[in-house]
Amino acid sequence: GAKSSGTYTLHFYSPSADGVPDAANRVPIRGTITNSVMVTALPVGQSQYQGRYPIAVYTPADYSATSDPLPVIYATDGAPGNTQVIPGVIFQSWEFTDMVRYIEAQHLRFIVVGIGGGETRDIDLNLPGSDIFYTFITTEVIPFVESRYHVDPTTRTLSGHSYGGAFSAYIFLKERPGTRFFFNYLSLDT
């Protein structure tokens, strides 16, 4: 992919039987993926990142052509993987890329924010770490995204798969009407 000021061209590769991406099955994503790392001052327990969380933000291809506020999906386990399986190509976690591919295939306009994952997911997505991770998302990630992108804060969605799905379900039960940060919840394969 081409790198320019922290923005990457992303290609999704379908894995072959041995789990290695098959270059013949690549499906390029048309929108823009911006990778960064957020550093939190919150206690992170046993996190090997020590408060450093990879963040990926997808915007649709026509994002800059309009100022319409867009709905946002916050996807746990959506960290930029930055795995160089094929030289010059950046891979995102499949939760993030599959969601983006589906959104583009359906011609929907969403911003997708991939957060964390990897080595700290067992801590961040389960109690008691999930409460700290939730605080990080609501006090640091959401303000970061909403200060830089034109979003509709009344349509925030929290999404997760496996432990992330359990995390989404827990947050659905934890948040109270009138004080919700999220208005939609996707809990997949919990």
Side-chain angles (χ1 to χ4, degrees):
K3 181 178 177 183
S4 172
S5 303
T7 300
Y8 296 83
T9 300
L10 175 74
H11 299 279
F12 178 80
Y13 290 81
S14 300
S16 62
D18 62 1
V20 176
D22 179 0
N25 293 325
R26 113 179 131 158
V27 178
I29 290 177
R30 295 179 301 275
T32 301
I33 307 288
T34 304
N35 292 315
S36 61
V37 174
M38 290 193 71
V39 179
T40 178
L42 295 170
V44 291
Q46 302 169 10
S47 172
Q48 293 182 10
Y49 283 110
Q50 298 178 345
R52 295 174 56 86
Y53 288 90
I55 304 290
V57 179
Y58 160 82
T59 53
D62 66 346
Y63 174 78
S64 61
T66 178
S67 62
D68 296 340
L70 298 178
V72 181
I73 300 172
Y74 292 88
T76 62
D77 283 335
N82 292 338
T83 303
Q84 297 270 330
V85 178
I86 297 173
V89 177
I90 304 298
F91 293 92
Q92 307 298 119
S93 69
W94 68 265
E95 293 91 345
F96 183 84
T97 53
D98 279 359
M99 184 176 296
V100 168
R101 288 175 64 228
Y102 178 81
I103 287 168
E104 286 193 348
Q106 299 300 313
H107 305 288
L108 301 173
R109 296 187 76 239
F110 282 86
I111 293 173
V112 181
V113 179
I115 309 164
E119 297 171 1
T120 63
R121 71 185 305 270
D122 293 351
I123 297 165
D124 296 332
L125 300 175
N126 293 295
L127 289 170
S130 56
D131 288 324
I132 295 168
F133 193 57
Y134 171 76
T135 300
F136 167 65
I137 292 171
T138 58
T139 64
E140 298 184 43
V141 176
I142 289 174
F144 171 82
V145 169
E146 293 183 0
S147 70
R148 287 165 177 77
Y149 298 92
H150 41 270
V151 304
D152 180 355
T154 66
T155 60
R156 290 184 204 122
T157 299
L158 179 63
S159 172
H161 171 266
S162 188
Y163 280 165
F167 175 78
S168 293
Y170 170 68
I171 298 307
F172 170 72
L173 296 171
K174 175 184 173 85
E175 290 192 321
R176 299 287 174 241
T179 60
R180 291 190 181 278
F181 278 94
F182 299 100
F183 301 92
N184 306 290
Y185 304 83
L186 296 173
S187 179
L188 310 167
D189 193 27
T190 54

